[in-house]
Amino acid sequence: MSDKISFGIVGCGMIANMHAQAIKHIQNAELVGVTDNCIQSAEKFAQQYCVKAYRDFAEMLVDKGVDAVCI
């Protein structure tokens, strides 16, 4: 088990960047994935942060590599 808490972000609008930056500054936390109703937005955001883009929220929830989500 990793010592880090792996986060996903639901929604890739303007506030998502604030969530990503906050996660970046939390010791023992890492951003691992994002999802959005628009897969193109999720893919663009994921590429920017070098994380996985999930097709939908359900796909993110079943991933054992995601410990917590920001909505």
Side-chain angles (χ1 to χ4, degrees):
M1 182 172 165
S2 174
D3 290 340
K4 289 191 174 196
I5 297 173
S6 300
F7 281 86
I9 296 176
V10 177
C12 295
M14 280 188 348
I15 199 75
N17 285 304
M18 295 177 88
H19 287 298
Q21 290 303 313
I23 293 166
K24 183 178 177 179
H25 289 96
I26 298 171
Q27 186 177 4
N28 297 327
E30 66 180 332
L31 178 61
V32 296
V34 297
T35 188
D36 193 275
N37 288 337
C38 175
I39 187 61
Q40 292 85 359
S41 294
E43 289 170 344
K44 182 178 177 182
F45 194 92
Q47 186 176 21
Q48 180 182 350
Y49 286 94
C50 300
V51 298
K52 181 176 180 176
Y54 294 90
R55 292 204 147 286
D56 57 40
F57 183 64
E59 182 185 5
M60 181 185 283
L61 284 181
V62 298
D63 187 339
K64 301 260 189 244
V66 178
D67 299 316
V69 296
C70 293
I71 300 174

mmCIF file of all heavy atoms in Angstrom, residues 7-13 16-17 20 31-36 38-55 59-60:
data_model
loop_
_atom_site.group_PDB
_atom_site.id
_atom_site.type_symbol
_atom_site.label_atom_id
_atom_site.label_comp_id
_atom_site.label_asym_id
_atom_site.label_seq_id
_atom_site.Cartn_x
_atom_site.Cartn_y
_atom_site.Cartn_z
ATOM 1 N N PHE A 7 -5.844 10.974 -5.508
ATOM 2 C CA PHE A 7 -7.050 11.749 -5.751
ATOM 3 C C PHE A 7 -7.473 11.717 -7.206
ATOM 4 O O PHE A 7 -6.639 11.690 -8.102
ATOM 5 C CB PHE A 7 -6.827 13.222 -5.377
ATOM 6 C CG PHE A 7 -6.905 13.504 -3.919
ATOM 7 C CD1 PHE A 7 -5.796 13.351 -3.107
ATOM 8 C CD2 PHE A 7 -8.094 13.935 -3.347
ATOM 9 C CE1 PHE A 7 -5.857 13.623 -1.756
ATOM 10 C CE2 PHE A 7 -8.169 14.211 -1.991
ATOM 11 C CZ PHE A 7 -7.052 14.049 -1.194
ATOM 12 N N GLY A 8 -8.774 11.766 -7.402
ATOM 13 C CA GLY A 8 -9.368 12.005 -8.700
ATOM 14 C C GLY A 8 -10.160 13.289 -8.617
ATOM 15 O O GLY A 8 -10.625 13.671 -7.540
ATOM 16 N N ILE A 9 -10.318 13.959 -9.744
ATOM 17 C CA ILE A 9 -11.124 15.175 -9.805
ATOM 18 C C ILE A 9 -12.295 14.915 -10.739
ATOM 19 O O ILE A 9 -12.117 14.417 -11.853
ATOM 20 C CB ILE A 9 -10.307 16.378 -10.307
ATOM 21 C CG1 ILE A 9 -9.186 16.718 -9.322
ATOM 22 C CG2 ILE A 9 -11.212 17.591 -10.529
ATOM 23 C CD1 ILE A 9 -8.261 17.833 -9.782
ATOM 24 N N VAL A 10 -13.491 15.258 -10.269
ATOM 25 C CA VAL A 10 -14.704 15.129 -11.070
ATOM 26 C C VAL A 10 -15.059 16.525 -11.572
ATOM 27 O O VAL A 10 -15.328 17.423 -10.774
ATOM 28 C CB VAL A 10 -15.864 14.544 -10.245
ATOM 29 C CG1 VAL A 10 -17.135 14.496 -11.089
ATOM 30 C CG2 VAL A 10 -15.502 13.159 -9.731
ATOM 31 N N GLY A 11 -15.026 16.700 -12.877
ATOM 32 C CA GLY A 11 -15.300 17.994 -13.498
ATOM 33 C C GLY A 11 -14.000 18.717 -13.790
ATOM 34 O O GLY A 11 -13.163 18.867 -12.906
ATOM 35 N N CYS A 12 -13.816 19.107 -15.035
ATOM 36 C CA CYS A 12 -12.550 19.720 -15.450
ATOM 37 C C CYS A 12 -12.704 21.178 -15.854
ATOM 38 O O CYS A 12 -12.002 21.690 -16.721
ATOM 39 C CB CYS A 12 -11.939 18.909 -16.595
ATOM 40 S SG CYS A 12 -11.472 17.246 -16.090
ATOM 41 N N GLY A 13 -13.624 21.873 -15.197
ATOM 42 C CA GLY A 13 -13.806 23.297 -15.440
ATOM 43 C C GLY A 13 -12.739 24.119 -14.719
ATOM 44 O O GLY A 13 -11.720 23.585 -14.270
ATOM 45 N N ALA A 16 -11.272 23.097 -11.294
ATOM 46 C CA ALA A 16 -10.455 21.876 -11.282
ATOM 47 C C ALA A 16 -8.969 22.199 -11.157
ATOM 48 O O ALA A 16 -8.222 21.474 -10.492
ATOM 49 C CB ALA A 16 -10.717 21.051 -12.534
ATOM 50 N N ASN A 17 -8.535 23.284 -11.778
ATOM 51 C CA ASN A 17 -7.129 23.684 -11.645
ATOM 52 C C ASN A 17 -6.785 24.034 -10.205
ATOM 53 O O ASN A 17 -5.685 23.724 -9.741
ATOM 54 C CB ASN A 17 -6.821 24.868 -12.569
ATOM 55 C CG ASN A 17 -6.709 24.445 -14.001
ATOM 56 O OD1 ASN A 17 -5.927 23.573 -14.339
ATOM 57 N ND2 ASN A 17 -7.514 25.043 -14.856
ATOM 58 N N ALA A 20 -6.431 20.752 -8.410
ATOM 59 C CA ALA A 20 -5.172 20.100 -8.794
ATOM 60 C C ALA A 20 -3.982 20.745 -8.094
ATOM 61 O O ALA A 20 -3.085 20.045 -7.604
ATOM 62 C CB ALA A 20 -4.997 20.145 -10.313
ATOM 63 N N LEU A 31 -2.446 13.567 -7.491
ATOM 64 C CA LEU A 31 -3.545 13.522 -8.442
ATOM 65 C C LEU A 31 -3.260 12.389 -9.411
ATOM 66 O O LEU A 31 -2.173 12.315 -9.988
ATOM 67 C CB LEU A 31 -3.652 14.852 -9.200
ATOM 68 C CG LEU A 31 -4.743 14.928 -10.258
ATOM 69 C CD1 LEU A 31 -6.119 14.737 -9.633
ATOM 70 C CD2 LEU A 31 -4.662 16.256 -10.994
ATOM 71 N N VAL A 32 -4.235 11.489 -9.575
ATOM 72 C CA VAL A 32 -4.026 10.334 -10.461
ATOM 73 C C VAL A 32 -4.991 10.291 -11.629
ATOM 74 O O VAL A 32 -4.753 9.572 -12.597
ATOM 75 C CB VAL A 32 -4.086 8.994 -9.686
ATOM 76 C CG1 VAL A 32 -2.955 8.919 -8.667
ATOM 77 C CG2 VAL A 32 -5.439 8.786 -9.038
ATOM 78 N N GLY A 33 -6.100 11.049 -11.551
ATOM 79 C CA GLY A 33 -7.040 10.983 -12.653
ATOM 80 C C GLY A 33 -8.119 12.031 -12.575
ATOM 81 O O GLY A 33 -8.330 12.657 -11.530
ATOM 82 N N VAL A 34 -8.796 12.219 -13.722
ATOM 83 C CA VAL A 34 -9.884 13.184 -13.824
ATOM 84 C C VAL A 34 -10.997 12.610 -14.690
ATOM 85 O O VAL A 34 -10.774 11.713 -15.507
ATOM 86 C CB VAL A 34 -9.401 14.520 -14.430
ATOM 87 C CG1 VAL A 34 -8.373 15.181 -13.544
ATOM 88 C CG2 VAL A 34 -8.850 14.327 -15.832
ATOM 89 N N THR A 35 -12.190 13.152 -14.505
ATOM 90 C CA THR A 35 -13.314 12.806 -15.369
ATOM 91 C C THR A 35 -14.174 14.039 -15.565
ATOM 92 O O THR A 35 -14.159 14.956 -14.741
ATOM 93 C CB THR A 35 -14.145 11.639 -14.798
ATOM 94 O OG1 THR A 35 -15.105 11.222 -15.770
ATOM 95 C CG2 THR A 35 -14.835 12.010 -13.510
ATOM 96 N N ASP A 36 -14.906 14.056 -16.660
ATOM 97 C CA ASP A 36 -15.780 15.166 -16.985
ATOM 98 C C ASP A 36 -16.875 14.635 -17.905
ATOM 99 O O ASP A 36 -16.673 13.620 -18.577
ATOM 100 C CB ASP A 36 -14.990 16.270 -17.705
ATOM 101 C CG ASP A 36 -15.748 17.572 -17.809
ATOM 102 O OD1 ASP A 36 -16.547 17.738 -18.749
ATOM 103 O OD2 ASP A 36 -15.542 18.430 -16.931
ATOM 104 N N CYS A 38 -17.684 15.837 -20.571
ATOM 105 C CA CYS A 38 -17.098 15.971 -21.906
ATOM 106 C C CYS A 38 -15.727 15.293 -21.887
ATOM 107 O O CYS A 38 -14.784 15.800 -21.272
ATOM 108 C CB CYS A 38 -16.967 17.447 -22.271
ATOM 109 S SG CYS A 38 -16.125 17.741 -23.823
ATOM 110 N N ILE A 39 -15.607 14.139 -22.518
ATOM 111 C CA ILE A 39 -14.360 13.369 -22.475
ATOM 112 C C ILE A 39 -13.188 14.177 -23.035
ATOM 113 O O ILE A 39 -12.063 14.039 -22.562
ATOM 114 C CB ILE A 39 -14.495 11.995 -23.172
ATOM 115 C CG1 ILE A 39 -13.238 11.137 -22.958
ATOM 116 C CG2 ILE A 39 -14.790 12.151 -24.646
ATOM 117 C CD1 ILE A 39 -12.910 10.814 -21.533
ATOM 118 N N GLN A 40 -13.445 15.050 -23.998
ATOM 119 C CA GLN A 40 -12.362 15.866 -24.552
ATOM 120 C C GLN A 40 -11.787 16.805 -23.493
ATOM 121 O O GLN A 40 -10.567 17.010 -23.441
ATOM 122 C CB GLN A 40 -12.844 16.673 -25.778
ATOM 123 C CG GLN A 40 -13.177 15.823 -26.968
ATOM 124 C CD GLN A 40 -14.597 15.270 -26.952
ATOM 125 O OE1 GLN A 40 -15.375 15.508 -26.018
ATOM 126 N NE2 GLN A 40 -14.941 14.515 -27.979
ATOM 127 N N SER A 41 -12.634 17.357 -22.641
ATOM 128 C CA SER A 41 -12.157 18.208 -21.544
ATOM 129 C C SER A 41 -11.324 17.405 -20.564
ATOM 130 O O SER A 41 -10.274 17.858 -20.107
ATOM 131 C CB SER A 41 -13.331 18.849 -20.805
ATOM 132 O OG SER A 41 -14.010 19.741 -21.635
ATOM 133 N N ALA A 42 -11.782 16.200 -20.245
ATOM 134 C CA ALA A 42 -11.040 15.330 -19.321
ATOM 135 C C ALA A 42 -9.684 14.958 -19.914
ATOM 136 O O ALA A 42 -8.667 14.983 -19.214
ATOM 137 C CB ALA A 42 -11.845 14.077 -19.003
ATOM 138 N N GLU A 43 -9.659 14.631 -21.197
ATOM 139 C CA GLU A 43 -8.401 14.243 -21.837
ATOM 140 C C GLU A 43 -7.409 15.403 -21.879
ATOM 141 O O GLU A 43 -6.221 15.223 -21.627
ATOM 142 C CB GLU A 43 -8.669 13.711 -23.243
ATOM 143 C CG GLU A 43 -9.342 12.344 -23.217
ATOM 144 C CD GLU A 43 -9.842 11.882 -24.573
ATOM 145 O OE1 GLU A 43 -9.965 12.727 -25.512
ATOM 146 O OE2 GLU A 43 -10.134 10.680 -24.701
ATOM 147 N N LYS A 44 -7.894 16.594 -22.180
ATOM 148 C CA LYS A 44 -7.027 17.778 -22.217
ATOM 149 C C LYS A 44 -6.455 18.082 -20.831
ATOM 150 O O LYS A 44 -5.258 18.325 -20.676
ATOM 151 C CB LYS A 44 -7.815 18.978 -22.741
ATOM 152 C CG LYS A 44 -7.005 20.237 -22.875
ATOM 153 C CD LYS A 44 -7.842 21.366 -23.445
ATOM 154 C CE LYS A 44 -7.020 22.647 -23.511
ATOM 155 N NZ LYS A 44 -7.809 23.770 -24.018
ATOM 156 N N PHE A 45 -7.308 18.046 -19.816
ATOM 157 C CA PHE A 45 -6.872 18.289 -18.442
ATOM 158 C C PHE A 45 -5.895 17.214 -17.987
ATOM 159 O O PHE A 45 -4.864 17.508 -17.379
ATOM 160 C CB PHE A 45 -8.090 18.337 -17.513
ATOM 161 C CG PHE A 45 -7.800 18.907 -16.161
ATOM 162 C CD1 PHE A 45 -7.959 20.258 -15.914
ATOM 163 C CD2 PHE A 45 -7.375 18.093 -15.117
ATOM 164 C CE1 PHE A 45 -7.697 20.791 -14.657
ATOM 165 C CE2 PHE A 45 -7.114 18.610 -13.871
ATOM 166 C CZ PHE A 45 -7.270 19.964 -13.641
ATOM 167 N N ALA A 46 -6.211 15.972 -18.291
ATOM 168 C CA ALA A 46 -5.348 14.847 -17.909
ATOM 169 C C ALA A 46 -3.970 14.978 -18.534
ATOM 170 O O ALA A 46 -2.950 14.705 -17.887
ATOM 171 C CB ALA A 46 -5.989 13.528 -18.315
ATOM 172 N N GLN A 47 -3.934 15.393 -19.785
ATOM 173 C CA GLN A 47 -2.648 15.569 -20.461
ATOM 174 C C GLN A 47 -1.829 16.668 -19.789
ATOM 175 O O GLN A 47 -0.625 16.531 -19.605
ATOM 176 C CB GLN A 47 -2.877 15.904 -21.932
ATOM 177 C CG GLN A 47 -1.607 15.970 -22.739
ATOM 178 C CD GLN A 47 -1.877 16.214 -24.213
ATOM 179 O OE1 GLN A 47 -2.933 16.704 -24.597
ATOM 180 N NE2 GLN A 47 -0.920 15.860 -25.036
ATOM 181 N N GLN A 48 -2.494 17.727 -19.407
ATOM 182 C CA GLN A 48 -1.820 18.853 -18.747
ATOM 183 C C GLN A 48 -1.158 18.421 -17.442
ATOM 184 O O GLN A 48 -0.073 18.880 -17.099
ATOM 185 C CB GLN A 48 -2.826 19.968 -18.484
ATOM 186 C CG GLN A 48 -2.265 21.188 -17.801
ATOM 187 C CD GLN A 48 -3.326 22.239 -17.522
ATOM 188 O OE1 GLN A 48 -4.461 22.156 -17.990
ATOM 189 N NE2 GLN A 48 -2.967 23.240 -16.749
ATOM 190 N N TYR A 49 -1.816 17.512 -16.702
ATOM 191 C CA TYR A 49 -1.309 17.093 -15.391
ATOM 192 C C TYR A 49 -0.694 15.697 -15.401
ATOM 193 O O TYR A 49 -0.336 15.173 -14.345
ATOM 194 C CB TYR A 49 -2.436 17.177 -14.355
ATOM 195 C CG TYR A 49 -2.739 18.608 -13.966
ATOM 196 C CD1 TYR A 49 -3.742 19.326 -14.615
ATOM 197 C CD2 TYR A 49 -1.995 19.251 -12.983
ATOM 198 C CE1 TYR A 49 -4.006 20.644 -14.281
ATOM 199 C CE2 TYR A 49 -2.251 20.562 -12.645
ATOM 200 C CZ TYR A 49 -3.255 21.263 -13.297
ATOM 201 O OH TYR A 49 -3.506 22.572 -12.956
ATOM 202 N N CYS A 50 -0.585 15.099 -16.583
ATOM 203 C CA CYS A 50 0.025 13.765 -16.730
ATOM 204 C C CYS A 50 -0.678 12.727 -15.852
ATOM 205 O O CYS A 50 -0.038 11.996 -15.085
ATOM 206 C CB CYS A 50 1.516 13.807 -16.425
ATOM 207 S SG CYS A 50 2.429 14.908 -17.520
ATOM 208 N N VAL A 51 -2.008 12.698 -15.940
ATOM 209 C CA VAL A 51 -2.808 11.741 -15.185
ATOM 210 C C VAL A 51 -3.773 11.041 -16.138
ATOM 211 O O VAL A 51 -3.849 11.378 -17.316
ATOM 212 C CB VAL A 51 -3.590 12.428 -14.028
ATOM 213 C CG1 VAL A 51 -2.626 13.054 -13.031
ATOM 214 C CG2 VAL A 51 -4.574 13.457 -14.554
ATOM 215 N N LYS A 52 -4.534 10.116 -15.621
ATOM 216 C CA LYS A 52 -5.476 9.347 -16.422
ATOM 217 C C LYS A 52 -6.789 10.110 -16.608
ATOM 218 O O LYS A 52 -7.279 10.737 -15.673
ATOM 219 C CB LYS A 52 -5.768 8.009 -15.730
ATOM 220 C CG LYS A 52 -6.716 7.121 -16.496
ATOM 221 C CD LYS A 52 -6.888 5.777 -15.816
ATOM 222 C CE LYS A 52 -7.859 4.926 -16.621
ATOM 223 N NZ LYS A 52 -7.987 3.587 -16.058
ATOM 224 N N ALA A 53 -7.364 10.022 -17.810
ATOM 225 C CA ALA A 53 -8.692 10.570 -18.082
ATOM 226 C C ALA A 53 -9.685 9.416 -18.056
ATOM 227 O O ALA A 53 -9.546 8.449 -18.812
ATOM 228 C CB ALA A 53 -8.724 11.257 -19.441
ATOM 229 N N TYR A 54 -10.653 9.495 -17.175
ATOM 230 C CA TYR A 54 -11.699 8.471 -17.089
ATOM 231 C C TYR A 54 -12.875 8.898 -17.945
ATOM 232 O O TYR A 54 -13.224 10.076 -17.995
ATOM 233 C CB TYR A 54 -12.155 8.284 -15.639
ATOM 234 C CG TYR A 54 -11.097 7.713 -14.743
ATOM 235 C CD1 TYR A 54 -10.213 8.541 -14.053
ATOM 236 C CD2 TYR A 54 -10.974 6.337 -14.586
ATOM 237 C CE1 TYR A 54 -9.231 8.017 -13.227
ATOM 238 C CE2 TYR A 54 -9.999 5.807 -13.755
ATOM 239 C CZ TYR A 54 -9.133 6.648 -13.089
ATOM 240 O OH TYR A 54 -8.158 6.112 -12.275
ATOM 241 N N ARG A 55 -13.524 7.936 -18.588
ATOM 242 C CA ARG A 55 -14.670 8.233 -19.462
ATOM 243 C C ARG A 55 -15.882 8.716 -18.661
ATOM 244 O O ARG A 55 -16.677 9.502 -19.154
ATOM 245 C CB ARG A 55 -15.060 7.002 -20.269
ATOM 246 C CG ARG A 55 -14.003 6.635 -21.283
ATOM 247 C CD ARG A 55 -14.606 5.836 -22.414
ATOM 248 N NE ARG A 55 -13.949 6.095 -23.687
ATOM 249 C CZ ARG A 55 -14.087 7.193 -24.425
ATOM 250 N NH1 ARG A 55 -14.848 8.147 -24.025
ATOM 251 N NH2 ARG A 55 -13.462 7.327 -25.565
ATOM 252 N N GLU A 59 -16.447 4.827 -13.817
ATOM 253 C CA GLU A 59 -15.149 4.199 -14.124
ATOM 254 C C GLU A 59 -14.100 4.612 -13.093
ATOM 255 O O GLU A 59 -13.289 3.804 -12.657
ATOM 256 C CB GLU A 59 -14.706 4.592 -15.530
ATOM 257 C CG GLU A 59 -13.392 3.959 -15.948
ATOM 258 C CD GLU A 59 -12.886 4.429 -17.301
ATOM 259 O OE1 GLU A 59 -13.494 5.332 -17.922
ATOM 260 O OE2 GLU A 59 -11.856 3.897 -17.730
ATOM 261 N N MET A 60 -14.138 5.876 -12.685
ATOM 262 C CA MET A 60 -13.188 6.359 -11.684
ATOM 263 C C MET A 60 -13.438 5.690 -10.329
ATOM 264 O O MET A 60 -12.501 5.289 -9.639
ATOM 265 C CB MET A 60 -13.271 7.877 -11.543
ATOM 266 C CG MET A 60 -12.293 8.445 -10.523
ATOM 267 S SD MET A 60 -12.488 10.212 -10.248
ATOM 268 C CE MET A 60 -11.690 10.841 -11.703
#
